[in-house]
Amino acid sequence: MLIDGRHHRTIWVADDGVTVRIIDQTVLPHELRIVDLVDLESAAVAIETMQVRGAPLIGATAAYGVALALREDPSDEGIEAALARLIRTRPTAVNLRWALDDMRRVLANQPRGRRVELAMARAAAICDADVEICRAIGTHGLALIEAVARRKKPGEPVNVLTHCNAGWLATIDRGTATAPVYAAQEKGIPVHVWVDETRPRNQGAALTAFELLHQEVPHTVIADNVGGHLMQHGMVDLCIVGTDRTTRTGDVCNKIGTYLKALAAKDNGVPFYVALPSTTIDWTIEDGIAEVPIEERAAEELTVVSGRTEDGRIERVRITPEGSPAANYAFDVTPARLVSGLITERGVAEASAAGLAALFPPEG
Amino acid sequence: MLIDGRHHRTIWVADDGVTVRIIDQTVLPHELRIVDLVDLESAAVAIETMQVRGAPLIGATAAYGVALALREDPSDEGIEAALARLIRTRPTAVNLRWALDDMRRVLANQPRGRRVELAMARAAAICDADVEICRAIGTHGLALIEAVARRKKPGEPVNVLTHCNAGWLATIDRGTATAPVYAAQEKGIPVHVWVDETRPRNQGAALTAFELLHQEVPHTVIADNVGGHLMQHGMVDLCIVGTDRTTRTGDVCNKIGTYLKALAAKDNGVPFYVALPSTTIDWTIEDGIAEVPIEERAAEELTVVSGRTEDGRIERVRITPEGSPAANYAFDVTPARLVSGLITERGVAEASAAGLAALFPPEG
């Protein structure tokens, strides 16, 4: 998508065909800093320090990390050392493991001399496949936005509320939850997005707002507390959020606070949709609330806020008293009963075991 | 209540019998700065700049402001000029108008020579009455906490979730939503408070955490997004929040985000109580969502965060991209159907017209 009018992906290969480039998401929205990944270590650090984040983008960065590692050591041992280094960066990320397993499979039994080339091609293919998945999610979600738009007066925008960043910055391009919005924009349907700031890491205020601003999609940043009030007053037509993991029964594990918005949507008759690539469905889990372990992250993410001072410095400030404990649960689970539908690359599924199985029949 | 082990009220008269002192709440929790109010203007500015906030405390500060004004001009014209200056400070605050009307009534037809003394005494009486109301709210709310404690194992704390600051810093002492917690502590009942940080002004993270820390009540600051997850996992026994305005039918207008917590409480069978002095009941309003106008405040309260840097400076940092609009709705309305009860100075009322009328029969 666009930054300052120029098309970007979140990760790409430079003109030299060797250097891998990413956008450093830790300094967004205040600064556009492009980082060169030149070897295994720089790729690993980019994931660890969250210069890149979002499941699809983490997977793609790891894939390129393997390719970069093979420039120095294309042996079987080199591959295994690279995989071991990369898996440690975000040990719980499902897509990371999937991408690394995929790279191992593709490189196995290939001549050393061809491994770098094969790895670069495979990483590029992983990226392209992700873009196509997001595009398909956008097409299926677009139908939901169009249905609302048909009930509106001409020119009246469809109001979409989203939480966190399930935008193009979390993927390679287009995003998951944002893909239907960008598809609507391309079709000339007026859309306005309510952007939850998404405490404690502020991915909405920092990343989703940045995306929409540069893409020129009308939007308004709000505190996470505001969505219920807006829905009570008919100011939200539909919610679209992403997910980190979806159970086979349609429970949705996503950024903390998603559940509260789903409750408000239910209470006010606002449709609540979740956009996801099918790779995030965990077919082994039945009951999201009971079975999905919720990551507790550092309290400092809550107690210390990072931003830009009036004179342009990036500064960190503490908002709580020294000595007050804080807890930082990163995700919550929205039960399937609160989800109007799951927007996947194959279409919109009912949030239920039957709904998901119908779109994704078990391989026999 | 305690700060650094010493008892404080939020407003008091210094030993000279003349100077009125307040705690500057704009620099809490990072600094304890006592401000002297020496004349009408300093009292008015303290309210305007939110050095004092919270309905009861605003009313008390305004009352003392009248007394300070009369030192310079005890004439009828002096009184009216003082009232006019003070009412402008926070034009929508119900308690402010109430306190000023009360002062006008008490001073009318009194000899000029006695007016300062009468005004100081009346301001002190307003403060004392508020403390007694909060104490009574605490006693009635204590019964609710005790009922939970009886179902717990010995020593196991009762987990209370609160939103914003309806603590002693919003009143003169003890607070409204916190009064039952402090009463439980005094009775030796173990209590733990989940403190919503309460974006965008962070009154939970800054003020409620500060209160509980100094009062040595165990507590944990959480993002506003977290409460639903905690309730899903049985980690909240009851919610107690304050209110800015309550309709005669029991709808509760309180800090933005209260409604979302009430929804989560209902969904998980967690009791949701609202603590209030009966002066905040608006007997003229039937339907909170339709009839209570919601104040929209400056977007900057959301987009710019104030806190303390590592090296001790108070600094303001922007968290959104320049150019992204933001909206800042300050309150929302929680419908009576989601409220388990209203804790008032006369007892716990059902959140309904009948429940409130039974405790507060219309004066005939």
Side-chain angles (χ1 to χ4, degrees), chain A residues 70 73-77 109-117:
Chain A
L70 297 187
D73 181 356
S75 69
D76 285 359
E77 295 72 25
N109 302 313
Q110 296 294 338
R112 293 186 182 198
R114 287 205 57 218
R115 280 178 170 174
V116 168
E117 181 195 345

Side-chain angles (χ1 to χ4, degrees), chain B residues 38-321:
Chain B
V38 294
D39 54 17
L40 170 64
E41 194 54 26
S42 54
V45 168
I47 299 171
E48 275 170 352
T49 61
M50 297 183 75
Q51 291 180 322
V52 292
R53 25 68 61 192
L57 178 54
I58 287 172
T61 308
Y64 275 117
V66 174
L68 291 169
L70 298 188
R71 285 188 199 286
E72 287 171 39
D73 181 356
S75 68
D76 285 0
E77 295 71 26
I79 295 176
E80 289 308 317
L83 297 179
R85 172 70 184 94
L86 288 161
I87 196 72
R88 282 203 312 272
T89 55
R90 295 286 300 274
T92 56
V94 176
N95 266 55
L96 174 62
R97 182 168 291 276
W98 171 85
L100 293 175
D101 286 347
D102 188 60
M103 295 301 282
R104 180 190 275 122
R105 193 178 48 74
V106 165
L107 296 170
N109 303 312
Q110 295 293 341
R112 293 187 182 197
R114 290 203 56 218
R115 279 178 170 173
V116 168
E117 182 196 342
L118 281 168
M120 288 296 282
R122 188 65 188 184
I126 286 174
C127 290
D128 290 344
D130 187 68
V131 175
E132 283 318 302
I133 284 173
C134 289
R135 189 178 297 277
I137 290 171
T139 304
H140 296 303
L142 171 61
L144 302 169
I145 293 177
E146 283 179 316
V148 176
R150 279 194 290 272
R151 298 194 306 264
K152 295 255 172 183
K153 298 193 193 98
E156 210 182 13
V158 176
N159 286 297
V160 177
L161 183 143
T162 193
H163 190 67
C164 197
N165 176 259
W168 74 267
L169 290 170
T171 63
I172 309 303
D173 207 355
R174 306 193 72 81
T176 54
T178 55
V181 169
Y182 294 137
Q185 182 190 36
E186 284 163 8
K187 248 197 132 169
I189 299 166
V191 187
H192 167 264
V193 182
W194 296 107
V195 179
D196 275 359
E197 67 169 331
T198 317
R199 292 282 296 146
R201 289 184 62 95
N202 304 341
Q203 295 100 326
L207 303 178
T208 305
F210 177 86
E211 282 194 29
L212 297 171
L213 182 70
H214 282 270
Q215 203 62 27
E216 297 183 14
V217 174
H219 64 283
T220 307
V221 182
I222 49 174
D224 301 310
N225 284 324
V226 176
H229 168 73
L230 297 177
M231 294 190 222
Q232 282 180 327
H233 291 270
M235 296 161 80
V236 179
D237 294 305
L238 72 170
C239 303
I240 310 180
V241 301
T243 169
D244 288 80
R245 206 198 288 203
T246 308
T247 68
R248 68 174 199 79
T249 52
D251 291 346
V252 169
C253 180
N254 189 43
K255 184 65 39 167
I256 191 82
T258 303
Y259 166 55
L260 295 172
K261 293 302 137 61
L263 284 169
K266 188 73 163 189
D267 200 45
N268 293 284
V270 174
F272 188 90
Y273 288 99
V274 180
L276 59 127
S278 59
T279 48
T280 64
I281 302 170
D282 187 334
W283 297 99
T284 67
I285 289 188
E286 188 89 12
D287 178 340
I289 295 173
E291 295 178 58
V292 176
I294 299 297
E295 182 184 355
E296 232 193 299
R297 296 178 55 86
E300 211 184 52
E301 289 188 351
L302 174 68
T303 58
V304 178
V305 175
S306 172
R308 196 171 69 168
T309 61
E310 191 99 23
D311 56 352
R313 288 168 297 114
I314 308 274
E315 183 87 77
R316 291 158 52 81
V317 297
R318 166 175 285 270
I319 60 167
T320 53

Side-chain angles (χ1 to χ4, degrees), chain A residues 29-30 163 194 196-200 202 205-206 209-210 213 219-230 232-233 235 255-261 263-264 267-268 289-290 292 294 302-303 305-311 313 315-329 331-335 337-338, chain B residues 29-30 163 194 196-200 202 205-206 209-210 213 219-230 232-233 235 255-261 263-264 267-268 289-290 292 294 302-303 305-311 313 315-329 331-335 337-338:
Chain A
H30 307 300
H163 191 67
W194 295 106
D196 275 1
E197 68 170 330
T198 317
R199 292 282 295 148
N202 304 341
F210 176 87
L213 182 69
H219 65 285
T220 308
V221 181
I222 49 174
D224 301 309
N225 284 324
V226 176
H229 169 72
L230 297 178
Q232 283 180 326
H233 290 270
M235 295 160 79
K255 183 66 39 167
I256 191 81
T258 302
Y259 166 54
L260 295 172
K261 292 303 138 58
L263 284 169
D267 200 45
N268 293 284
I289 295 173
V292 176
I294 299 297
L302 175 67
T303 60
V305 175
S306 173
R308 196 173 69 167
T309 61
E310 190 98 26
D311 55 353
R313 288 169 297 114
E315 183 87 76
R316 289 158 51 82
V317 297
R318 166 175 285 269
I319 60 165
T320 54
E322 296 277 352
S324 278
N328 181 10
Y329 298 90
F331 304 99
D332 65 19
V333 174
T334 299
R337 66 185 152 87
L338 301 177
Chain B
H30 306 298
H163 190 67
W194 296 107
D196 275 359
E197 67 169 331
T198 317
R199 292 282 296 146
N202 304 341
F210 177 86
L213 182 70
H219 64 283
T220 307
V221 182
I222 49 174
D224 301 310
N225 284 324
V226 176
H229 168 73
L230 297 177
Q232 282 180 327
H233 291 270
M235 296 161 80
K255 184 65 39 167
I256 191 82
T258 303
Y259 166 55
L260 295 172
K261 293 302 137 61
L263 284 169
D267 200 45
N268 293 284
I289 295 173
V292 176
I294 299 297
L302 174 68
T303 58
V305 175
S306 172
R308 196 171 69 168
T309 61
E310 191 99 23
D311 56 352
R313 288 168 297 114
E315 183 87 77
R316 291 158 52 81
V317 297
R318 166 175 285 270
I319 60 167
T320 53
E322 297 277 353
S324 277
N328 180 11
Y329 298 90
F331 304 99
D332 65 19
V333 173
T334 300
R337 67 185 152 84
L338 301 176

